[in-house]
């Protein structure tokens, strides 16, 4: 069974810092890895999806990398802003299922203070 | 194009009551999913449906039943609600067999069982 771990569980930084969120998974047989953002009391917003054949994806100030062989992904947020405060979830779509069943980490709760 | 919609948004039940959570998608996806999210946890899969007319158990199916009514709709039923089922429920859909296996999520239903 796929196990997904996110480190750190919580992070508090001043505005303007560049920061890295980490995600690791136990089985490299995946279709893709997704990073989501979740605001308090809200649903999931998809940020980036990296297919298993890709090494990284970028969207604005966000960059996600994938090292499938080592079972690791990082989400890099440049020049952080208070509006980036949210919980960030990592999920992998497992090849053990024809559907690409998603396994989620517990998330990193990010606070960016002015 | 509404994506994935869920009703209701909020619900309070007494122990032993029953209810059905509704989910619909307008993206013509074959596969649909129900997840629950508990505080400090990632999402866990309750049931999924690979295609119209099929359903399968996920990681935490006990206490739930599902119906794939047609290609658009996938409902989750609690026959006799228990306090342990207090959670946020998310529905998702995807087009399995594509390159990305990307899942799209609804806004969630916040359920409290007293």
């Amino acid at each position: 069974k796929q196990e997904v771990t996110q480190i750190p569980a919580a992070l508090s930084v001043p505005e303007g810092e560049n920061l890295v969120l980490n995600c690791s998974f136990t089985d490299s047989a995946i279709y893709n890895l997704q990073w989501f953002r979740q605001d308090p009391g809200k649903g999931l917003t998809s940020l980036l999806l990296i297919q298993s054949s890709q090494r990284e994806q970028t969207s604005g100030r966000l960059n996600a990398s994938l090292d499938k062989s080592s079972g690791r992904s990082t989400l890099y947020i440049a020049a952080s802003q208070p509006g980036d405060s949210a919980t960030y979830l990592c999920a992998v779509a497992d090849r053990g299922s024809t559907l690409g069943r998603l396994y989620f980490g517990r998330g990193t709760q990010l606070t960016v203070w002015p | 194009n509404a994506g994935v919609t869920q009703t209701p948004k909020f619900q309070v039940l007494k122990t032993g009551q029953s209810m059905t959570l509704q989910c619909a998608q307008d993206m013509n996806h074959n596969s649909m999913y129900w997840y629950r999210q508990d505080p400090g946890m990632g999402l866990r899969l309750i049931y999924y449906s690979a295609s119209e007319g099929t359903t399968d158990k996920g990681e935490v199916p006990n206490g739930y039943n599902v119906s794939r009514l047609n290609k658009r709709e996938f409902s989750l039923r609690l026959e006799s609600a228990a306090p342990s089922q207090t959670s946020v429920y998310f529905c998702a859909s995807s087009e399995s067999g594509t390159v990305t296996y990307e899942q799209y999520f609804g806004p969630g239903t916040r359920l409290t069982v007293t």
Side-chain angles (χ1 to χ4, degrees):
Chain A
K1 179 192 163 188
Q2 188 74 259
E3 301 279 348
V4 180
T5 304
Q6 290 187 247
I7 294 174
L11 185 61
S12 181
V13 300
E15 181 176 8
E17 278 208 0
N18 301 323
L19 50 97
V20 174
L21 308 183
N22 295 292
C23 173
S24 62
F25 48 97
T26 53
D27 189 339
S28 61
I30 63 171
Y31 289 116
N32 67 53
L33 183 143
Q34 283 185 259
W35 283 95
F36 294 89
R37 170 183 172 139
Q38 186 175 31
D39 293 290
K42 302 295 186 184
L44 277 68
T45 300
S46 180
L47 297 174
L48 291 164
L49 181 148
I50 312 175
Q51 296 177 36
S52 63
S53 59
Q54 297 174 325
R55 297 284 293 184
E56 66 176 346
Q57 282 284 344
T58 298
S59 176
R61 293 182 294 108
L62 305 179
N63 175 276
S65 67
L66 174 64
D67 184 342
K68 200 172 60 167
S69 61
S70 68
R72 294 179 189 273
S73 175
T74 60
L75 178 66
Y76 176 82
I77 303 177
S80 58
Q81 303 170 357
D84 294 329
S85 298
T87 296
Y88 291 79
L89 294 167
C90 165
V92 296
D94 189 77
R95 274 190 183 270
S97 153
T98 55
L99 289 182
R101 174 177 162 172
L102 282 183
Y103 290 87
F104 282 82
R106 295 190 177 197
T108 293
Q109 187 173 357
L110 174 65
T111 302
V112 182
W113 40 277
Chain B
N1 187 338
V4 180
T5 56
Q6 293 183 234
T7 55
K9 288 187 168 53
F10 301 93
Q11 184 71 49
V12 179
L13 292 178
K14 290 184 171 25
T15 298
Q17 288 185 319
S18 62
M19 78 161 295
T20 300
L21 283 64
Q22 306 285 355
C23 174
Q25 53 91 10
D26 62 3
M27 294 173 281
N28 202 36
H29 286 164
N30 287 324
S31 303
M32 297 185 74
Y33 313 80
W34 277 106
Y35 295 88
R36 63 177 286 173
Q37 184 180 33
D38 300 303
M41 303 284 288
L43 279 68
R44 291 182 294 169
L45 184 64
I46 305 172
Y47 269 94
Y48 62 97
S49 171
S51 60
E52 188 178 350
T54 69
T55 61
D56 283 290
K57 295 178 181 178
E59 186 181 356
V60 287
N62 291 345
Y64 305 96
N65 286 301
V66 291
S67 295
R68 183 73 183 268
L69 305 169
N70 48 56
K71 192 171 186 179
R72 288 188 65 247
E73 299 172 290
F74 188 37
S75 62
L76 179 72
R77 183 160 178 83
L78 286 70
E79 291 291 353
S80 178
S84 61
Q85 293 178 306
T86 293
S87 190
V88 182
Y89 292 84
F90 289 99
C91 178
S93 70
S94 71
E95 188 57 41
S96 56
T98 63
V99 175
T100 64
Y101 288 85
E102 184 170 6
Q103 290 190 21
Y104 297 82
F105 285 80
T109 293
R110 283 150 185 81
L111 175 67
T112 301
V113 183
T114 61

